[in-house]
Amino acid sequence: MMPSPDLDDLYAEIILDHYKSPRNHHLLDSPALSAEGFNPFCGDRVVLNLALDDVGRIDAVGFEGEGCSISQASVSIMTGLLKDKTLEEASALNTTFREIMAGAEVTAVMEDELGELAALEGVKQFPVRIKCALLGWATLVDAIAEYRKAHD
Ligand code: ZN
């Protein structure tokens, strides 16, 4: 289904809002997980920090970054979604978002899970921008992989 023009406007507004006022836009004092990502195709950069509570849920998220609106809005929206999730749940969200970027139809369940991230669905029509949308998520995957390696 092609999004209607009105929906495109709404989505553009969500992306611009997160780009101009990024959420959780600060690094953490002592993050349990940390990684840096770079997208050479566009010059986008992200540093992502996560802190975990006693039972392994994400209880704080922060990032710094620079680059295009798609990359920075995507990571800003992502940080809001990660709070209170386990690392497994965070990985599952990453999988869902990648499926959408790869062309999967967005189901109501996915929309519930992803919230404002659905605003980025239109990016899949522009292959060079998909790397922008995925940068924060790729950085999250790296951070989780490093953390698991250190805690095995
Ligand atoms: Zn970009």
Side-chain angles (χ1 to χ4, degrees), residues 27 31 33-40 43-50 62-66 72 75 78 134-144 146:
L27 295 180
L33 290 79
S34 184
E36 182 166 6
F38 183 59
N39 172 19
D44 310 317
R45 193 184 66 85
V46 164
V47 178
L48 180 70
N49 286 173
L50 304 173
F63 83 99
E64 275 186 350
E66 60 203 8
Q72 302 304 308
V75 66
M78 180 186 83
L134 288 177
L135 176 64
W137 294 89
T139 309
L140 171 69
V141 168
D142 284 350
I144 292 174
E146 266 177 49

Side-chain angles (χ1 to χ4, degrees), residues 76-98:
S76 172
I77 296 170
M78 180 186 83
T79 61
L81 292 170
L82 294 180
K83 189 107 167 54
D84 296 326
K85 296 237 176 350
T86 64
L87 296 183
E88 287 72 23
E89 288 165 345
S91 296
L93 264 184
N94 166 66
T95 302
T96 303
F97 186 53
R98 275 168 198 275

Side-chain angles (χ1 to χ4, degrees), residues 15-29:
I15 290 167
L16 203 63
D17 178 51
H18 276 273
Y19 179 57
K20 285 184 169 168
S21 318
R23 319 300 196 265
N24 305 302
H25 198 236
H26 54 82
L27 295 180
L28 306 180
D29 285 337

Side-chain angles (χ1 to χ4, degrees), residues 39 41-45 66-72 128-133 135:
N39 172 19
F41 297 97
C42 188
D44 310 317
R45 193 184 66 85
E66 60 203 8
C68 70
S69 59
I70 304 276
S71 68
Q72 302 304 308
V128 300
R129 307 312 300 279
I130 292 176
K131 278 196 190 302
C132 302
L135 176 64

